[in-house]
Amino acid sequence: MRGTGDAAGPPRRSDAHGARSGLRTLREDLWTFDAAPLPPSLWLRWLPHGLVCLVAVIVIGTDASLLNDTYGENAQYALLLALGQGAALILALWRPVPAWLLSTTAAVVTALSTRSQLISGQAEPDVAWPWAAPALIAHALVLLLLALRLPTRVAVEALGVTALATYVVQGLVGGANYGGTGVTAVAVFGAVVLLGSALRGRREARDQLEEQAEITAEERARRTLLEERSRIARELHDVVAHHMSVISIQAQVAPHLVQDPPQELKENLAGIRQNALEALTELRRVLGVLRSEHPGDTDGLGDFTSGAAPDAPQPTLDRLDALIDNTRAAGLTVTTEVMGEAGRPYPPGVELSAYRIVQEALSNVLRHAPGARVSVGVTHFPEGLYLGIVNTPPERPVPPSPGAGHGLLGMRERAAMLGGQINASRTYQGGFAVTAFLPRDAEQAAAWSRDEHALPMPDTGLPERPADPPTGDQTP
C-alpha cells in the first residue's frame, strides 16, 4: 500500500501543476487588452473603388427599371441611358471631368427623352423630373469625386454648368404632369461640392503641414550639423594658432643659431615671422567670431566640470584623467583601462578629437543613463588610437534631456575629419557602446579607408575592456 501511495503521489502533484499552468495560460491569453491591428491589406485600399462600382451597378439597375416602368420608355433605350449614368460614375474614379460631362449629358438626354412621355401621358402622373432619384444620386457622387480631386474653382464651375442645364431643361423647355426636382437637385449638388471641397482643403492643409514638418526637421538637422562643424572648426583654429606661434618664434630665433647668417637668410626668416604674425592676427579675429556664447563651458558636461578661460589651450589625452574624475564627481562609476604605449606623439587634432569623443560619450551617459556604470578603454596602436566607452543600462528613470542632439553627430564629424571610424549602438544587455578608431596620420587614414576595416562592437553590458583589440596586423 505504501508503495502504491508513493507511486500515485507524484502524478497528483503533476496534475495540479498542469492545471495551474493551464489556468495561467488561459488568463494570459484571454485577460489582455493589448492592441492587435489588422495587417495592411491591398483589398482594404481598393475598398472605396469597389463601393463606387457597386453603387454604379445599383444605379444602372434602378434607373433602367424606373425609366421603363414609371416613365414608359423602351426597355433597351432605358438600359442604354442608365448605362451612360453608371459608366460616368465609374469613370469618375480616374477621369472626373470627362465623367461629369458624360453624367450631365446622360441626365439631359434622359430628361428630354422622358419629356415626350410626360406630355403624351404615357408616364405616371407627378413623377420626379428632370432629375430622377438614381440619376440625382449618381451625378451627386460624380460631383463629390470631382471636388475631392480637383481645385475648388473647377468644382464650382461644374456645379454652375449643372445648375444652368437644370434651369434650361426645367425652366425654359419645361414639361407636363411632373413633380419638379430641379431646386432639390441643385441644393444637393451644392452641398456635395461644398463637402468635397472642404475635405480636399483639409487634406491639402494636412499634407502641407507634414511637408513643413519635414522641412523643419531637415533644417534643424542641417543647423545642428553646421553648429557642430563650427565648434570643431573653432577648436582646430586654436591648434593652428598654436603652430603658427611656434613658427613665428622659430623664425625669430633661427638667425641667432648661426654665426654671421647671410642677409638673404635674415630677410627670409623675417618675412616668415611677419607672415606668421599676420596669420595669427587673422586667426584671432576668426576665433573672436567662432567663440561660443558661453566659452566657460568648454567641456560640455554640465555644472560639475570646471570651465576654462576663453584663451585656454584645447584639451589633449593628458586631461582624460581630470575629465573622468569630474564625471565620477557627478555620480557615475567609471573604470578605465589603457593598453599599449603611445610611442611617438599623436597629432594635436587626433588628441583633441579623442578627448572630445570620450567627453561626449560620458556626457550622454550622464543625460540618458543615470546610475549606470561606465568602462572607458584607450588602446594605442602604431596605426592610431582605439577608444571604447561602454555603459550598463540606467538604474532609474531617465529624465527629459534638454540637449540638442550634438553628441553622436559631433563624434562622427570628428572621426570623419581624421579619416577614422566610429560606431555607436545599444548592447544586448540594454546599455550603450561607443567605439572609435582614429588614424595617426593621413597615410594610415588612407590605408584604413582603402581596406574597409570594421570596428569590433562590444556585446556585453560592461566588459572588462571595451572590445578585444587586435594584435599584429589585425584591424582595431
Side-chain angles (χ1 to χ4, degrees):
M1 295 295 292
R2 182 179 303 169
T4 304
D6 294 341
R12 284 198 295 269
R13 290 194 297 270
S14 177
D15 292 343
H17 178 72
R20 287 195 300 270
S21 177
L23 290 174
R24 187 184 307 110
T25 302
L26 184 66
R27 184 187 63 185
E28 292 175 353
D29 291 342
L30 300 182
W31 190 254
T32 177
F33 298 94
D34 294 339
L38 288 172
S41 172
L42 183 63
W43 295 103
L44 293 177
R45 190 177 67 180
W46 286 96
L47 180 61
H49 297 74
L51 292 177
V52 171
C53 293
L54 178 61
V55 172
V57 172
I58 295 175
V59 165
I60 292 173
T62 55
D63 198 20
S65 176
L66 182 66
L67 291 176
N68 179 249
D69 298 338
T70 304
Y71 290 89
E73 288 284 358
N74 178 271
Q76 290 79 6
Y77 186 59
L79 179 61
L80 180 63
L81 293 175
L83 283 174
Q85 202 73 55
L89 184 54
I90 297 176
L91 181 62
L93 292 171
W94 293 275
R95 298 288 188 272
V97 173
W100 167 77
L101 290 172
L102 177 59
S103 178
T104 304
T105 302
V108 171
V109 171
T110 301
L112 294 177
S113 299
T114 55
R115 175 176 176 273
S116 60
Q117 308 298 330
L118 295 174
I119 295 175
S120 64
Q122 298 181 24
E124 296 182 1
D126 296 329
V127 295
W129 189 85
W131 289 97
L136 189 151
I137 294 174
H139 196 74
L141 288 176
V142 170
L143 285 175
L144 177 62
L145 294 174
L146 185 146
L148 286 173
R149 303 175 64 182
L150 295 178
T152 304
R153 182 191 72 257
V154 179
V156 171
E157 292 170 352
L159 174 62
V161 174
T162 300
L164 179 62
T166 303
Y167 169 73
V168 170
V169 172
Q170 182 177 349
L172 299 183
V173 177
N177 302 320
Y178 68 91
T181 57
V183 176
T184 302
V186 172
V188 171
F189 297 155
V192 166
V193 169
L194 180 63
L195 176 63
S197 299
L199 292 176
R200 181 178 182 274
R202 182 172 178 269
R203 186 183 69 247
E204 289 182 345
R206 185 175 63 251
D207 293 341
Q208 291 177 359
L209 183 62
E210 293 176 355
E211 182 180 358
Q212 187 63 37
E214 293 178 359
I215 294 175
T216 302
E218 292 176 358
E219 287 296 326
R220 185 183 298 112
R222 180 174 175 271
R223 184 172 63 251
T224 302
L225 176 62
L226 293 177
E227 289 175 357
E228 190 60 28
R229 288 181 176 177
S230 176
R231 178 187 174 192
I232 296 173
R234 182 176 64 246
E235 295 174 351
L236 291 180
H237 274 77
D238 291 345
V239 175
V240 174
H242 169 71
H243 286 292
M244 295 303 298
S245 299
V246 173
I247 293 174
S248 174
I249 295 173
Q250 289 178 339
Q252 184 180 8
V253 173
H256 302 284
L257 301 179
V258 181
Q259 291 183 352
D260 299 327
Q263 186 62 30
E264 293 81 1
L265 178 60
K266 291 182 180 180
E267 293 177 355
N268 288 333
L269 291 174
I272 293 173
R273 183 173 182 276
Q274 183 62 31
N275 290 332
L277 291 176
E278 292 177 358
L280 276 173
T281 302
E282 297 300 326
L283 279 174
R284 290 191 185 96
R285 294 173 181 171
V286 173
L287 288 173
V289 175
L290 294 177
R291 281 295 179 190
S292 173
E293 187 179 7
H294 303 287
D297 188 15
T298 57
D299 289 335
L301 290 174
D303 296 334
F304 70 90
T305 302
S306 59
D311 297 327
Q314 293 298 333
T316 61
L317 291 176
D318 294 337
R319 292 181 55 187
L320 273 182
D321 292 338
L323 173 66
I324 293 173
D325 290 340
N326 289 334
T327 309
R328 288 172 179 156
L332 285 183
T333 301
V334 184
T335 60
T336 60
E337 182 178 12
V338 179
M339 301 181 63
E341 297 291 338
R344 58 191 176 95
Y346 291 103
V350 173
E351 293 209 13
L352 173 60
S353 296
Y355 179 91
R356 292 302 188 193
I357 289 173
V358 176
Q359 180 188 75
E360 293 289 357
L362 293 177
S363 178
N364 287 338
V365 175
L366 283 173
R367 294 191 187 101
H368 306 296
R373 292 176 293 120
V374 189
S375 171
V376 178
V378 180
T379 306
H380 300 280
F381 292 99
E383 297 86 359
L385 185 64
Y386 176 76
L387 304 172
I389 304 94
V390 187
N391 64 272
T392 59
E395 296 182 355
R396 52 182 181 270
V398 181
S401 174
H406 288 221
L408 293 178
L409 177 63
M411 295 180 192
R412 293 190 178 97
E413 286 294 316
R414 294 179 188 278
M417 174 186 66
L418 298 172
Q421 183 179 353
I422 189 165
N423 284 331
S425 65
R426 294 193 178 277
T427 62
Y428 294 123
Q429 290 75 19
F432 204 81
V434 176
T435 57
F437 178 78
L438 305 179
R440 185 180 291 271
D441 51 34
E443 293 182 1
Q444 297 295 339
W448 176 272
S449 176
R450 183 176 59 252
D451 296 340
E452 297 182 354
H453 297 306
L455 284 175
M457 292 298 297
D459 58 358
T460 58
L462 188 65
E464 295 182 358
R465 56 185 179 183
D468 293 332
T471 57
D473 296 333
Q474 290 180 320
T475 301

